[in-house]
Amino acid sequence: MKQLTRRSFNGLAGKGLLGSALIANMPLANALSTNKNDKKLGIALVGLGSYSTYQLAPSLQETAHCYLAGIVTGTKSKEAIWQEKYNIPKKNVYNYDNFDTIADNDSIDIIYVVLPNSMHADFCIRAAKAGKHVICEKPMAISVAECDAIINACNENNVKLAVGYRMQSDPYTNEVKKYVREKTFGDVKFVSSDAGYISKGNPDQWRLDKSLSGGGALMNMGVYSIQTSIYGTGQNPIAVSAQEFSTRPEYFKDTDETITAQFKFANGAVAHMMTSHNSNGNRLKCHCSKGWFELDPAHSYGPISGTTSNGDILKFPHKKQQALQMDDFAKHILMGTKNVAPGEMGKRDMIIVEAIYKSIDEGGKEQLLSLGNMGIVS
Ligand code: NAD
């Protein structure tokens, strides 16, 4: 009987053929079950900056279906530190130059790209070509064309793709989605959402450099407000108008500081979002025909806090969102559960980002959107 390697295992999982392969190929099942990380998928983090260091790697110590198997870094001095801290073998350590040889490493199933935004497309496409499943951090890329290129590369190489939208795995977010779906408070009429912080750091940081970030507050925090506007109504918007505000042009030389935008939805609902690198904001409020519900904070690392017009205070056990997120993706690969943050969701949000920038360029002119149900996962 032909034995499956980890690489062909990934390909079969990508085609949804894993179940039949596992029955027909017991050697693979044996190989996996003799692994000390029994049936856990190996993740390699690409880019060991603050998000990988302080959120993703610690979260991978709490995951049930995946584990930190490898690292890809351009900083030589980080290699030994990470190897020792997380017991990573030398053979699973890569740099940006030898990254493509990861194709030959059967211990790596998923590549998680955690680099500046303009580098996402290149590394996600190379990961897909290496036959690895891909998680791409938010924002998915810096243009719709790049999102398409990532999606196509994953489809062509039969690997799965998710965006690092941790809120899609958060229990408070999912409770809000349930309220919307089940009309617990009637029809959602108006959604207000904010996502921002006051940027005071190094003015040369990559987030303020358009060539690396693709844009300012909108690219960085605005995708949260776009997401909350959509899961707060359960629909994609049909039109958007937007405005930009600049008060510190000497600091925000290259990127947007504060943006507000208004969305229209097919059922008559309306949403207003604010995103900023010059104001704090972390809230979602949904006004409905029979009451309201609110998350405040709505998208920090947790615990999130929720209240409703019934006087309910939402309370869920706290687990790291990133652990829930990476386990959700691993379960999608291993068990065929739904992909809660597929590439189409990241692309949809980038279509909206581009429409917002276009509206600003055209003095706030309304931009029509034809998104259908693209990226909606209920
Ligand atoms: P960071 O600046 O802390 O780390 C960036 C990493 O990229 C560093 O290891 C750096 O060495 C490396 N790098 C490679 N080439 C670089 C270049 N030309 N310029 C700058 N850095 C370069 O950033 P971060 O906060 O870890 O963000 C990385 C990605 O993760 C971004 O896409 C960001 O939007 C995303 N992120 C997501 C969340 C979330 O909650 N989902 C939170 C933080 C960051």
Side-chain angles (χ1 to χ4, degrees):
M1 187 194 305
K2 184 174 179 283
Q3 287 210 5
L4 288 178
T5 62
R6 280 258 177 180
R7 199 168 176 200
S8 52
F9 171 86
N10 285 347
L12 286 166
K15 289 176 187 149
L17 297 174
L18 190 56
S20 49
L22 281 175
I23 295 162
N25 287 274
M26 285 314 290
L28 171 73
N30 293 344
L32 289 173
S33 64
T34 52
N35 187 315
K36 83 176 168 50
N37 295 291
D38 195 25
K39 286 187 187 174
K40 286 184 167 188
L41 299 180
I43 293 192
L45 296 175
V46 185
L48 307 180
S50 63
Y51 195 55
S52 285
T53 303
Y54 302 113
Q55 301 301 330
L56 296 177
S59 297
L60 278 161
Q61 310 314 302
E62 296 183 10
T63 41
H65 303 284
C66 51
Y67 71 105
L68 179 56
I71 49 173
V72 184
T73 176
T75 311
K76 187 82 189 150
S77 58
K78 290 184 184 170
E79 292 182 3
I81 296 167
W82 278 66
Q83 275 187 264
E84 188 178 331
K85 184 163 185 188
Y86 294 111
N87 196 21
I88 296 170
K90 180 73 191 150
K91 72 175 185 62
N92 292 355
V93 176
Y94 294 86
N95 57 47
Y96 301 138
D97 297 325
N98 66 15
F99 171 65
D100 303 284
T101 64
I102 206 166
D104 303 322
N105 190 332
D106 285 347
S107 317
I108 309 295
D109 301 284
I110 298 170
I111 291 176
Y112 195 154
V113 176
V114 202
L115 291 164
N117 309 340
S118 69
M119 301 171 77
H120 291 181
D122 180 29
F123 278 83
C124 287
I125 291 167
R126 287 162 69 184
K129 285 183 177 165
K132 307 298 181 185
H133 302 294
V134 180
I135 309 177
C136 176
E137 249 320 314
K138 51 64 46 183
M140 183 170 165
I142 61 168
S143 69
V144 176
E146 284 190 354
C147 294
D148 275 329
I150 297 172
I151 291 169
N152 290 342
C154 289
N155 287 340
E156 281 160 17
N157 290 282
N158 292 310
V159 295
K160 306 276 194 187
L161 167 64
V163 181
Y165 282 143
R166 58 189 161 76
M167 299 315 302
Q168 294 289 342
S169 297
D170 177 85
Y172 294 82
T173 301
N174 282 300
E175 187 70 2
V176 160
K177 283 183 168 184
K178 189 162 97 76
Y179 290 157
V180 174
R181 203 170 49 241
E182 296 180 359
K183 296 185 187 283
T184 314
F185 297 88
D187 293 318
V188 179
K189 298 288 191 184
F190 174 67
V191 172
S192 170
S193 69
D194 313 323
Y197 63 87
I198 301 174
S199 178
K200 293 178 184 152
N202 174 7
D204 297 325
Q205 62 183 284
W206 69 261
R207 280 189 173 82
L208 306 182
D209 175 347
K210 196 172 177 185
S211 66
L212 286 164
S213 61
L218 184 60
M219 283 280 178
N220 186 23
M221 301 304 289
V223 289
Y224 289 106
S225 292
I226 291 170
Q227 286 256 309
T228 46
S229 300
I230 292 173
Y231 56 71
T233 55
Q235 306 164 70
N236 283 331
I238 56 168
V240 63
S241 325
Q243 307 79 34
E244 180 177 358
F245 303 86
S246 169
T247 62
R248 293 162 62 200
E250 71 291 350
Y251 182 75
F252 300 106
K253 293 187 194 81
D254 204 21
T255 56
D256 43 281
E257 178 185 318
T258 297
I259 284 178
T260 53
Q262 302 76 41
F263 298 108
K264 285 183 186 167
F265 296 85
N267 69 346
V270 175
H272 173 79
M273 63 160 265
M274 186 286 294
T275 187
S276 183
H277 272 165
N278 194 43
S279 170
N280 294 318
N282 191 347
R283 183 168 162 265
L284 164 68
K285 185 157 187 176
C286 298
H287 299 267
C288 311
S289 52
K290 296 182 195 155
W292 54 265
F293 49 93
E294 178 176 52
L295 298 180
D296 184 359
H299 48 71
S300 40
Y301 297 145
I304 298 301
S305 178
T307 47
T308 78
S309 53
N310 288 346
D312 301 329
I313 297 175
L314 307 189
K315 214 73 202 152
F316 295 97
H318 184 55
K319 182 143 195 222
K320 286 187 196 306
Q321 293 158 348
Q322 293 85 354
L324 295 170
Q325 170 212 326
M326 289 185 276
D327 265 346
D328 272 347
F329 188 51
K331 282 191 280 181
H332 170 60
I333 295 165
L334 289 167
M335 303 165 202
T337 55
K338 77 181 168 193
N339 185 352
V340 299
E344 288 70 20
M345 185 185 272
K347 174 183 166 180
R348 174 202 64 195
D349 296 347
M350 196 51 54
I351 292 172
I352 295 171
V353 162
E354 288 189 354
I356 288 174
Y357 282 134
K358 187 154 188 270
S359 173
I360 291 166
D361 282 349
E362 295 178 2
K365 187 172 170 221
E366 184 173 273
Q367 307 293 314
L368 299 181
L369 298 161
S370 310
L371 299 167
N373 277 330
M374 181 180 189
I376 295 275
V377 180
S378 57

